Amino acid sequence: MRILALDSSGLVASVAVVEDGAVDDQVIAEYTVNYKKTHSQTLLPMLDEIVKMTELDLHTVDAIAVAGGPGSFTGLRIGSATAKGLGLALEKPLIHIPTLEGLACNLCGIADVVCPIMDARRKQVYTGLYTFVKGKDSRKGLEEPEFQVMEKQMALPVEELIRKLNRYGRPVVFLGDGVPVYEEMIEAGMEVPYSFAPAYMNRQRAAVVGSLGICYYREGKFETAAEHKPDYLRISQAERERAEKEKNAKPEVRGMTIEDGAAVAEMEHQSFSDAWSEKAVLETLRQPTALCLVAEKAGRRVGYLLAYQAADEIEIARVAVVEEVKRQGVGTALMKKLQEEGTQRKARKILLDVREKNHMA
C-alpha cells in the first residue's frame, strides 16, 4: 500500500510518501518546511519535487492522507483543497487524519500523557490527550506501543487544560506550536511532572500522517474526495467577528428586488421542505398585488416575507429568518414593515395560516 500524505494544518508544511511493508512501514520521501512562506507557495512545489526525486507515478498511490484539523484556518483549507483536487483527478480516496493525533504520534512509545497543543489565540489551545500502552503487532508477533486516545480533540482555555492534566496525576509531555506561546503559564500551573518534546519532534510531520493513514485505511476509515471537509473545531476569527456584528446590528427591512431572488430562494431551501424556486420567488415579486420584503443585518440578507393583498386583507404566503439570527428581532422588523406597507395600502387585516403545532409562528 502506498499513501501520499499532506500536512499544512500549522506553521509547518509537510509532504510525504509512505509504504507499508511485510514488517514495517517505510517512508519513501518526506519534505518539510518551516519558514516564512505561505502553504500556497510551498505545498505543491514540495509535492512536485518529491515526485521528481522518487520518479513517482501519482496514479500508483492508493490513497491520500491529509491532516484534517484543527489548526490554521487558511492552512487547513489549502491542505484540504490540494488533497481534494488530487483525489478527484486521480480518483483516489482521502484519509482524514486528526491533526493532534498526528502530532501525538511523533512521540510513539511514550508512557506519559502526550499533550499536543496548538495556539488557538485568546489564551486557548487546540489539544487532545493521548498515551501509548503495550500492544502486539500482528505482522511482527512482537509487543509494540499501541496508540490510545484518552480525550479527543478539543478547543479550550490553557488554564482549563492545566487543571485537567493535574487531575490525571500523571507525568505529561507537551509538544506543538502552542508550547513557546504558553510555556510560562504551563510552568506556573502544572503540579505534576512535565517536560517538553525536543525541537525535532514537536511539529507536524507528513510521514506520521501517512503512517496513521495506513492504519486508518486498513480499518476502512476513508472517504471520497467530494465528502472530505476540514474539522475546524470552532469558527474562525472573521466569522466570530461577523456573528458579533450581526448580533448587535439592528435589522433593516426594505422592498425585495430582482437581485435578491437567488438569496431568498437559498433561504427558502434552508427553511422549508417544500421550498419555492428562485423562479417562483421572482414571479411573486412581479405580481402587482404582492408585498415582498427582505431583512438585512450588517449588510447580509437574513430574512424575507412574501405576501399578497386582496381587497382590504393581506395574506402572508412565506416568511422565514435564517437560523443563526433567530430571536434577534428580524421577524418583528419584517412584521412592522408589513404593517406600515399595509396601512399605506389601506388594508385592515393581515392573515397567516399555520399548523397547530407551529407554536412559534
Side-chain angles (χ1 to χ4, degrees), residues 88-355:
L88 289 168
L90 301 171
E91 298 182 341
K92 302 295 181 180
L94 264 59
I95 307 169
H96 182 126
I97 302 297
T99 298
L100 292 156
E101 287 190 18
L103 258 174
C105 283
N106 280 347
L107 303 182
C108 181
I110 296 292
D112 297 343
V113 176
V114 179
C115 182
I117 56 175
M118 299 177 68
D119 184 18
R121 309 265 177 102
R122 298 185 176 186
K123 294 186 178 180
Q124 292 192 352
V125 290
Y126 299 121
T127 188
L129 300 182
Y130 311 91
T131 192
F132 292 87
V133 296
K134 288 184 178 180
K136 195 167 185 178
D137 190 308
S138 59
R139 291 177 295 172
K140 299 178 183 179
L142 301 172
E143 283 195 349
E144 288 288 330
E146 184 178 309
F147 183 61
Q148 188 175 80
V149 178
M150 298 170 62
E151 295 199 27
K152 291 182 178 180
Q153 298 186 145
M154 53 192 156
L156 77 171
V158 179
E159 292 178 348
E160 186 177 333
L161 171 62
I162 290 171
R163 288 195 295 269
K164 185 187 289 287
L165 291 168
N166 285 334
R167 287 196 296 270
Y168 270 100
R170 292 174 53 183
V172 181
V173 183
F174 291 95
L175 71 159
D177 62 38
V179 169
V181 181
Y182 299 110
E183 185 173 354
E184 290 184 4
M185 292 182 67
I186 292 169
E187 291 174 345
M190 290 296 291
E191 298 171 359
V192 296
Y194 68 91
S195 59
F196 300 113
Y200 58 88
M201 301 173 74
N202 73 351
R203 291 291 190 272
Q204 288 89 336
R205 286 188 57 194
V208 180
V209 171
S211 291
L212 274 174
I214 289 173
C215 297
Y216 269 52
Y217 192 88
R218 289 191 186 121
E219 295 170 6
K221 297 179 181 178
F222 50 83
E223 59 195 356
T224 66
E227 291 171 329
H228 175 76
K229 58 182 179 180
D231 181 8
Y232 297 115
L233 283 192
R234 67 176 196 180
I235 62 174
S236 69
Q237 177 76 15
E239 289 169 318
R240 285 197 301 272
E241 290 176 355
R242 188 185 76 175
E244 191 66 27
K245 187 177 180 182
E246 285 183 352
K247 184 177 179 181
N248 296 327
K250 183 179 178 180
E252 296 182 1
V253 180
R254 57 172 175 77
M256 189 184 299
T257 66
I258 292 174
E259 287 73 23
D260 297 316
V264 170
E266 178 61 27
M267 287 187 278
E268 266 281 307
H269 282 279
Q270 292 174 1
S271 304
F272 303 109
S273 57
D274 59 339
W276 288 11
S277 65
E278 182 180 354
K279 180 181 178 182
V281 171
L282 294 177
E283 284 176 351
T284 300
L285 180 61
R286 296 188 186 101
Q287 297 295 321
T289 60
L291 269 164
C292 302
L293 305 173
V294 168
E296 294 183 328
K297 285 193 85 176
R300 177 189 169 209
R301 301 177 185 96
V302 293
Y304 64 95
L305 186 151
L306 305 175
Y308 298 95
Q309 183 174 2
D312 63 350
E313 294 183 350
I314 292 174
E315 182 172 359
I316 298 173
R318 310 293 273 188
V319 59
V321 175
V322 297
E323 188 66 34
E324 58 266 33
V325 298
K326 285 183 177 178
R327 300 188 181 277
Q328 294 182 20
V330 177
T332 299
L334 283 164
M335 294 304 298
K336 284 184 177 179
K337 184 67 172 177
L338 182 63
Q339 285 181 303
E340 292 173 9
E341 294 286 335
T343 299
Q344 292 179 12
R345 293 188 180 205
K346 307 208 182 292
R348 297 178 59 205
K349 290 183 181 179
I350 296 175
L351 308 175
L352 174 65
D353 288 337
V354 298
R355 293 185 302 275

Side-chain angles (χ1 to χ4, degrees), residues 6 8 38-41 43 73-83:
L6 309 171
S8 59
T38 65
H39 297 325
S40 60
Q41 293 175 291
L43 205 61
F73 287 88
T74 303
L76 287 175
R77 290 185 180 112
I78 291 169
S80 287
T82 303

